[in-house]
Amino acid sequence: MSITDFLTDLLNPDLAFLPKALAIAVMSSIVCGVVGCYVVLRGMAFIGDAVAHAVFPGLAIAFVLQGSLVLGGAVAGIATALLIAIFSQNRRVKEDSLIGVFLVATFALGIVIISQAPGYSGSLQQFLFGSITGIPDRDLYLVGITGLVILGLVLALHKEFVAVCLDREMARSMGLPVFWLDIVLYILVTLAVVISLQTIGNILVLALLITPAAAARLLTDRLGVMMLLAPVLGGTSALVGLYLSWSYDTPVGGTIVLVATAVFLAAWLLAPRHGLLAKHWRRTGIQRPSGEAEPATGRAAATGHISPMR
């Protein structure tokens, strides 16, 4: 299918679900790209995975009650995020262990709940792998409003999030409320995951959160640039993925993830400073282009630079 044909289908009133799917896919990819930068910097991908599973009981309850999947997932995810944040204050059990406990428990609870609903098998597949055909208008508006709220909180608390992600002990010594910042960040991760579920599904949603941010991490040492690149890469992956899915009749979520993964692999190979080829050239003695500065490390990270990847 040519791009012109794809644009024609987007404007076709008989295919009204297609522009809605594109809007949700791009919006959720942009939000996940921004929030994912903190997830990648802090090394908390496991938390994103736990939240993706934690929303499942809320989705199941919303389905049984015929309510909004977005609201149901958000309530369940936020409740689990709060439990993880509270329980992790007891350093006797490490955070990753607690996440594992709640990850399995919440997902199991969701399976038990949805198994009580008639015809749950098809709905379970929709939850796990996403669907572009049944997105109601109210969810489109809800995703847009939620995305704006997330981006607003990120803008307001950006410096505090960076301090906590780079050095928690230093953040405590500066008088920052680390516990409450953890809770807010967990909630933002939860909301970013929830608004992505209907397009990409529960199983694959972690890719939107991690993959574009990881690709951006390879392409720049500046946090500000990384937080601009990640949503651009994520949104572009969603657009290209939906186009390819519609053209070749492949699952939307899987296609978007594969496109995002291809972008990451390209960055891993071709990134000008941290890519595989660049490292090979440096090892073989090829000089750095004139005027190209060394990556900032140490204290410079707190002022907008992040440590280079090794």
Side-chain angles (χ1 to χ4, degrees), residues 248-274:
Y248 298 103
D249 194 25
T250 58
V252 175
T255 307
I256 291 174
V257 170
L258 290 177
V259 171
T261 304
V263 171
F264 170 79
L265 293 175
W268 177 77
L269 182 65
L270 302 173
R273 191 185 301 273
H274 303 300

Side-chain angles (χ1 to χ4, degrees), residues 121-268:
S121 297
S123 302
L124 180 61
Q125 183 176 2
Q126 177 181 338
F127 294 153
L128 296 180
F129 303 108
S131 172
I132 66 170
T133 59
I135 300 174
D137 288 340
R138 69 174 184 273
D139 283 357
L140 181 65
Y141 301 135
L142 188 57
V143 167
I145 294 171
T146 304
L148 290 176
V149 170
I150 293 172
L151 295 178
L153 287 172
V154 165
L155 184 63
L157 297 173
H158 173 67
K159 292 182 179 179
E160 289 80 2
F161 284 153
V162 172
V164 171
C165 288
L166 293 180
D167 192 332
R168 294 170 62 80
E169 296 307 319
M170 184 180 74
R172 283 195 179 92
S173 67
M174 294 168 58
L176 294 178
V178 174
F179 171 72
W180 293 107
L181 289 171
D182 280 345
I183 288 180
V184 173
L185 185 55
Y186 290 172
I187 290 174
L188 294 184
V189 171
T190 300
L191 294 177
V193 165
V194 168
I195 65 175
S196 309
L197 286 176
Q198 294 193 68
T199 299
I200 202 168
N202 184 270
I203 295 294
L204 302 176
V205 69
L206 186 64
L208 279 188
L209 198 66
I210 302 300
T211 307
R217 178 77 168 97
L218 288 168
L219 293 172
T220 182
D221 291 321
R222 297 191 63 87
L223 181 57
V225 177
M226 178 182 173
M227 297 194 73
L228 290 176
L229 274 178
V232 169
L233 295 176
T236 302
S237 298
L239 175 60
V240 174
L242 184 60
Y243 165 68
L244 293 176
S245 171
W246 189 246
S247 300
Y248 298 103
D249 194 25
T250 58
V252 175
T255 307
I256 291 174
V257 170
L258 290 177
V259 171
T261 304
V263 171
F264 170 79
L265 293 175
W268 177 77

